[in-house]
């Protein structure tokens, strides 16, 4: 853009002539800023406002002699050259300032990779963590699995008719906010989908892993051994088109018609027995606080059991709250294969819970069950 400022010689000839309105200098901004040029002068500068070396005054309207005396000015060619050079310097300074104001360019590739890696991708033996939707906030009840929709994803079952004691099939899709079937899932502890099924009186626990078809439909053979209402939980981490990973636990009821006689919850105990193995745990879960629970497994001869990796870890722990069936799924930190495995658990709220510990010895997976009370 051309410089709109004009420069005129001092008013009148050498003997002095009447000055015109165009020769009167305009006042400078009181804060040391040329009102039209937008250039700030250093704070504390003592040079008179609008003064230029040699007694020349620059303004948007014109140039007049300073000090009330007529002073011969430079020729017109010199002035033009000075203005051209000054304009170039000004353009460079403004460009440099705008560049600094905009800051450094963002490395979008690095930012995207950091987001994808930091959300919810786990390698086998990953450190202890909990799938309970707390997001690091322990101020409220963060139990999951209470709804078919959460975090922009919805569990959509198909069929779902079961006969107690007979083999059936469970089929479902996970859909996004646009009702599209999700087909990309992160592999978390060796599987992209963990399915937990339990009757509403917290009996009949099953931990399964369905398979997905190309259209995003998951399926698995399923037997509900007793009549009643059962709860199915899908525990997964969806991967969006932009690579964003969202962990979620969604729940839906399944029905096996027949006479339903709910069983009372067993009394709280820190010891359980399964297939001759004895499992004990130490620790007292608390609401809103991460507390270690240490499980020790002994074989039928009373010796320390040689725990094996199962789905990338030495144990899996699920806890369900009586009443609303609020869901927790925690994993232990990495460690050597011993008879002891430790979980860090944060209870989402008070109540009675049923805990289910999956562990593997000699290639066989077993489940030890415990009742505990969180106050």
């Amino acid at each position: 853009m051309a410089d709109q400022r004009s420069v005129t010689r001092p008013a009148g000839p050498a003997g002095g002539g009447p000055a015109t309105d165009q020769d009167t200098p305009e006042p400078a901004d009181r804060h040391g800023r040329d009102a039209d040029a937008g250039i700030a002068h250093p704070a504390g500068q003592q040079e008179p406002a609008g003064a230029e070396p040699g007694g020349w005054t620059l303004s948007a309207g014109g140039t007049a002699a300073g000090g009330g005396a007529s002073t011969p000015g430079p020729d017109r060619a010199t002035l033009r050259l000075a203005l051209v050079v000054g304009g170039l310097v000004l353009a460079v300074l403004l460009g440099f300032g705008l560049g600094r104001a905009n800051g450094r360019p963002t490395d979008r590739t690095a930012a995207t990779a950091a987001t994808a890696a930091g959300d919810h991708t786990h390698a086998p033996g990953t450190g202890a963590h909990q799938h309970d939707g707390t997001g690091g906030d322990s101020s409220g009840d963060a139990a999951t699995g209470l709804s078919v929709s959460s975090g922009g994803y919805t569990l959509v079952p198909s069929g779902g008719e079961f006969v107690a004691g007979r083999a059936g099939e469970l089929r479902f899709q996970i859909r996004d906010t646009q009702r599209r079937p999700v087909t990309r899932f992160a592999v978390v502890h060796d599987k992209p989908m963990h399915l937990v099924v339990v009757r509403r009186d917290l009996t009949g626990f099953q931990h399964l892993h369905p398979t997905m078809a190309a259209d995003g439909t998951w399926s698995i053979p399923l037997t509900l051994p007793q009549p009643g209402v059962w709860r199915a939980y899908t525990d997964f981490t969806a991967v969006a088109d932009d690579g964003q990973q969202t962990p979620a636990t969604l729940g839906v009821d399944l029905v096996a018609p027949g006479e339903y006689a709910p069983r009372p919850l067993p009394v709280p105990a820190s010891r359980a027995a399964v297939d001759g193995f004895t499992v004990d745990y130490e620790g007292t879960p608390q609401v809103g606080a991460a507390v270690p629970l240490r499980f020790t497994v002994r074989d039928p001869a009373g010796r320390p059991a040689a725990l094996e990796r199962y789905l990338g870890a030495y144990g899996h722990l699920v806890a369900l709250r009586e009443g609303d069936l609020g869901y927790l799924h925690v994993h232990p930190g990495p460690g050597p294969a011993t008879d002891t495995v430790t979980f860090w658990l944060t209870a989402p709220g008070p109540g009675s819970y049923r805990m289910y510990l999956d562990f593997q010895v000699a290639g066989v997976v077993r489940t030890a069950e415990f009742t505990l009370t969180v106050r």
Side-chain angles (χ1 to χ4, degrees):
M1 179 180 294
D3 193 333
Q4 300 299 318
R5 295 179 296 176
S6 63
V7 179
T8 62
R9 292 183 181 276
T20 64
D21 292 339
Q22 195 175 23
D23 297 326
T24 303
E26 295 182 1
D29 184 271
R30 292 183 181 271
H31 298 284
R33 181 184 298 272
D34 278 339
D36 294 297
I39 302 172
H41 297 293
Q45 183 173 336
Q46 299 301 318
E47 185 178 353
E52 290 290 329
W56 288 78
T57 302
L58 296 181
S59 71
T63 304
S70 297
T71 304
D75 58 35
R76 192 175 299 274
T78 303
L79 284 174
R80 288 176 179 171
L81 178 60
L83 285 174
V84 171
V85 174
L88 291 174
V89 173
L90 177 60
V92 172
L93 292 175
L94 286 176
F96 177 74
L98 289 174
R100 289 182 63 85
N102 289 335
R104 295 181 179 178
T106 301
D107 186 347
R108 297 187 182 275
T109 301
T112 301
T115 299
D119 280 343
H120 209 80
T121 299
H122 306 298
T126 298
H129 62 284
Q130 179 166 316
H131 298 188
D132 64 351
T134 60
D137 180 7
S138 59
S139 60
D141 191 328
T144 60
L146 301 175
S147 172
V148 295
S149 295
S150 178
Y153 295 95
T154 300
L155 168 60
V156 181
S158 58
E161 297 180 359
F162 294 91
V163 176
R166 293 185 184 179
E169 183 181 47
L170 177 62
R171 300 168 60 86
F172 62 91
Q173 289 182 334
I174 304 298
R175 297 183 183 174
D176 61 17
T177 54
Q178 300 180 41
R179 303 294 295 170
R180 300 176 304 179
V182 178
T183 58
R184 295 178 61 198
F185 296 83
V187 174
V188 180
H189 288 272
D190 290 356
K191 296 291 182 179
M193 178 69 67
H194 297 264
L195 175 69
V196 169
V197 178
V198 66
R199 200 167 70 162
R200 293 198 68 91
D201 61 358
L202 301 180
T203 62
F205 176 87
Q206 300 180 58
H207 182 176
L208 309 170
H209 302 100
T211 57
M212 186 185 73
D215 66 350
T217 299
W218 294 88
S219 62
I220 190 169
L222 177 63
T223 299
L224 304 181
Q226 301 292 332
V229 179
W230 293 71
R231 189 71 173 171
Y233 301 89
T234 56
D235 186 342
F236 61 89
T237 296
V239 181
D241 293 339
D242 61 359
Q244 179 71 27
Q245 298 188 17
T246 303
T249 302
L250 308 179
V252 66
D253 282 344
L254 308 175
V255 177
E259 184 177 350
Y260 173 42
R263 301 176 186 175
L265 202 63
V267 297
S270 60
R271 170 171 289 186
V274 53
D275 294 343
F277 288 82
T278 302
V279 184
D280 296 274
Y281 83 87
E282 299 177 349
T284 303
Q286 300 177 23
V287 176
V291 175
L293 297 184
R294 184 172 293 104
F295 292 82
T296 302
V297 183
R298 301 278 176 170
D299 67 15
R303 297 169 303 202
L307 299 179
E308 301 170 344
R309 284 190 180 277
Y310 169 60
L311 301 176
Y314 289 109
H316 286 255
L317 182 66
V318 171
L320 300 175
R321 184 168 54 193
E322 184 184 35
D324 64 359
L325 273 64
Y327 176 95
L328 291 174
H329 188 184
V330 296
H331 295 284
T338 66
D339 64 323
T340 301
V341 57
T342 300
F343 300 84
W344 288 82
L345 186 147
T346 302
S352 294
Y353 288 79
R354 191 69 170 165
M355 295 193 303
Y356 308 88
L357 173 68
D358 290 334
F359 65 93
Q360 179 173 302
V361 176
V364 179
V365 178
R366 298 173 174 85
T367 302
E369 302 185 13
F370 306 83
T371 298
L372 64 89
T373 299
V374 178
R375 303 186 185 281

